[in-house]
Amino acid sequence: MVVLIYHLTIMASVMRVFLILLWTTNLVQPNIPQAAGVQVFPPVNFTLTVSALAQVLLHWKPNPNQEQKNYTIRYDVKILSPVPEEYDTKKTHSVRTAVLHNGFSAHVRTLLLHNNFQMRSDWVKEKLLPLPGAPETSVTNLSCVTRITISSTVSLHCTWLPGQGAPEDTEYFLFYRYETYTEECQDYIKDKWNGNTECRFSVTHIDPEEVDNLIVIHINGSSKYAAIKPFQQLFNQNAIDKVNVPRNVTVFLEQNDLLATWEKPISPFPKECFEYEFYLFNLKSGNKQIFKISSNDFRLRIDVTSRYSIQIRANHHICCTRGFWSDWSEIIYVGQNKLENPVAWILTVLCVSTCCTFLLVAIISKINQVWSKLFPPIPTPSNKFRDPFPNDYERARTCTSETETEFGSFTEDLYCSALDDSVF
């Protein structure tokens, strides 16, 4: 009996949940477009058009069969390549910046909105084919750098390498596009094979005050032996900015502290946008330190008995994308110790040279003494058979050689004396 009551209780609970769900469905159902009454049609006349370098215009029209009464119509756009992206818009056109050398593909469909509910049509697809050209003939290793000049204009410098499959006679040509302005390079630098591998624009239409705008680089080429495939690349204008060196760097000592101040680099951005690296080198100990600083001054306790060299460089990092670090500023020396005195160096070298010379002479003398002891001179043998008629020269020579011999006997010395008396 208890089991039966338990099962009946469970069944009653399930029935209550079912009735609640049924009531909720009936309440919401009138606000949903009925599939039998409303049909969502896909857009028509969907086209992709290249409107500029690395720029595509997506355009479509609403389906004329689409019912619009009491409904909101939007469009869902999906970019498949080269970079996946998905967004929705109420317009019937859209502009996208993308590299096109490998093609472009996109889908679009209709979104029908009613009381926070939406119905979707099927996708409409369209694509652009890759740009023509032989494989591996495009440039490689493309890199670009911009600089803000004193006159607040922006220069552009790009370098690249020829494609591995490009013939030797291939000539490349560079174009850049910034917003609506497009320009071809007129100043090329050639490699040893007389091919273009660098391009310089001393002045461009790039706005130095803009933040994170895109610069389009397009390089095509020509050859008698192959069709050269174009190449495109997008650069963030701030990411390739080579920041200028900090200005008016001043370093001085205040008791035991080193104080440094400087001004921000030439740039339209305020000083709060920059960060700095402070390079400190102790010439006495050889210790090197790099400090990251976000202000325009720096204070540090140092060893006043040492001499230091200081350099500073800058980059922007708050107001926009970080660029390339600037070059280091000119070296500034500070401290009591000077770099080695040339006179002291000369005296030190002379002292060391003199000591080495004396030491070398002593070593050579010592070696000679040891050599003479180890290998004494061989004595001249005495003539035991006298010549009955010696001439004066031979007697004198014999006497001389005999007297110079350290090992001559006392008898031989007497003989030399008697001989000398007879000669002279």
Side-chain angles (χ1 to χ4, degrees):
M1 187 67 180
V2 176
V3 175
L4 180 61
I5 294 173
Y6 174 76
H7 283 291
L8 291 175
T9 304
I10 294 177
M11 291 179 64
S13 300
V14 171
M15 288 297 296
R16 282 197 299 270
V17 172
F18 177 77
L19 291 175
I20 292 173
L21 292 175
L22 183 60
W23 175 81
T24 303
T25 303
N26 291 331
L27 182 65
V28 176
Q29 189 72 18
N31 296 325
I32 302 177
Q34 298 296 322
V38 179
Q39 186 175 358
V40 183
F41 294 95
V44 296
N45 298 335
F46 179 38
T47 59
L48 302 176
T49 306
V50 178
S51 54
L53 290 180
Q55 180 174 284
V56 178
L57 171 63
L58 297 81
H59 187 270
W60 59 91
K61 292 182 178 180
N63 196 302
N65 298 323
Q66 184 64 58
E67 181 181 351
Q68 300 185 16
K69 185 178 180 180
N70 298 326
Y71 303 117
T72 300
I73 296 179
R74 296 183 66 86
Y75 300 95
D76 194 9
V77 182
K78 180 185 292 186
I79 308 298
L80 301 181
S81 65
V83 179
E85 180 186 7
E86 187 168 359
Y87 58 95
D88 66 90
T89 178
K90 64 180 181 180
K91 299 179 180 179
T92 58
H93 65 274
S94 176
V95 177
R96 279 294 178 268
T97 299
V99 294
L100 303 178
H101 56 264
N102 288 328
F104 185 91
S105 177
H107 296 177
V108 64
R109 65 183 176 183
T110 303
L111 299 177
L112 197 63
L113 307 179
H114 180 72
N115 292 340
N116 296 326
F117 291 94
Q118 63 181 12
M119 299 178 65
R120 302 176 180 87
S121 71
D122 294 332
W123 289 105
V124 178
K125 306 177 182 179
E126 192 59 64
K127 66 179 181 179
L128 294 174
L129 296 177
L131 298 180
E136 297 188 347
T137 57
S138 301
V139 299
T140 59
N141 293 8
L142 174 63
S143 63
C144 294
V145 176
T146 61
R147 286 180 182 269
I148 300 177
T149 63
I150 298 177
S151 58
S152 296
T153 60
V154 179
S155 65
L156 175 64
H157 180 210
C158 295
T159 63
W160 61 88
L161 294 177
Q164 295 183 354
E168 293 183 359
D169 72 329
T170 301
E171 196 70 278
Y172 292 104
F173 307 97
L174 182 142
F175 301 78
Y176 88 89
R177 180 178 69 82
Y178 184 79
E179 296 182 342
T180 60
Y181 187 86
T182 301
E183 184 177 357
E184 181 181 359
C185 179
Q186 303 297 326
D187 184 10
Y188 289 103
I189 299 176
K190 298 181 179 294
D191 59 12
K192 60 182 179 180
W193 293 284
N194 202 35
N196 297 335
T197 56
E198 295 185 41
C199 168
R200 293 179 297 192
F201 294 89
S202 57
V203 178
T204 65
H205 286 75
I206 299 171
D207 187 351
E209 297 184 4
E210 289 294 333
V211 175
D212 295 339
N213 274 8
L214 291 177
I215 301 173
V216 176
I217 301 297
H218 174 96
I219 302 180
N220 55 27
S222 64
S223 170
K224 297 179 182 178
Y225 307 101
I228 306 303
K229 187 179 179 67
F231 179 81
Q232 295 178 343
Q233 189 166 338
L234 307 180
F235 294 96
N236 181 307
Q237 72 172 77
N238 301 119
I240 62 172
D241 178 28
K242 177 73 171 179
V243 180
N244 290 304
V245 179
R247 299 173 295 165
N248 299 331
V249 180
T250 303
V251 181
F252 58 93
L253 293 179
E254 186 178 279
Q255 295 181 353
N256 293 335
D257 290 348
L258 180 149
L259 281 76
T261 61
W262 57 89
E263 296 180 9
K264 75 178 185 71
I266 297 175
S267 171
F269 297 124
K271 65 179 182 179
E272 293 80 14
C273 293
F274 291 91
E275 63 178 346
Y276 303 92
E277 286 190 346
F278 189 93
Y279 177 75
L280 183 68
F281 178 51
N282 189 321
L283 298 169
K284 180 179 179 181
S285 65
N287 184 38
K288 301 177 182 179
Q289 293 176 286
I290 295 180
F291 302 91
K292 288 191 176 294
I293 305 168
S294 58
S295 62
N296 288 64
D297 55 77
F298 182 63
R299 188 184 189 101
L300 179 69
R301 180 62 57 91
I302 62 170
D303 178 10
V304 294
T305 66
S306 298
R307 185 169 173 81
Y308 295 87
S309 68
I310 293 98
Q311 289 178 285
I312 303 173
R313 66 177 183 176
N315 203 344
H316 44 63
H317 74 300
I318 296 178
C319 303
C320 58
T321 303
R322 181 181 278 108
F324 295 120
W325 282 95
S326 73
D327 296 328
W328 289 103
S329 62
E330 293 184 2
I331 299 177
I332 298 178
Y333 296 99
V334 66
Q336 296 298 324
N337 276 354
K338 296 182 178 181
L339 292 172
E340 277 67 18
N341 192 338
V343 177
W345 262 106
I346 294 173
L347 293 177
T348 302
V349 172
L350 288 176
C351 291
V352 173
S353 300
T354 304
C355 293
C356 292
T357 302
F358 279 115
L359 181 61
L360 183 61
V361 170
I363 293 174
I364 293 175
S365 299
K366 190 69 176 176
I367 291 176
N368 286 338
Q369 291 179 4
V370 173
W371 185 270
S372 61
K373 290 182 179 181
L374 293 176
F375 304 98
I378 300 175
T380 303
S382 59
N383 187 5
K384 296 183 179 182
F385 301 97
R386 296 183 178 181
D387 188 352
F389 305 103
N391 55 42
D392 294 343
Y393 171 76
E394 290 182 353
R395 278 183 284 176
R397 183 173 60 82
T398 303
C399 177
T400 301
S401 62
E402 290 175 348
T403 56
E404 289 177 352
T405 305
E406 294 182 3
F407 299 96
S409 62
F410 177 74
T411 305
E412 291 170 343
D413 290 339
L414 292 177
Y415 165 70
C416 285
S417 298
L419 182 60
D420 290 343
D421 293 338
S422 64
V423 173
F424 301 100

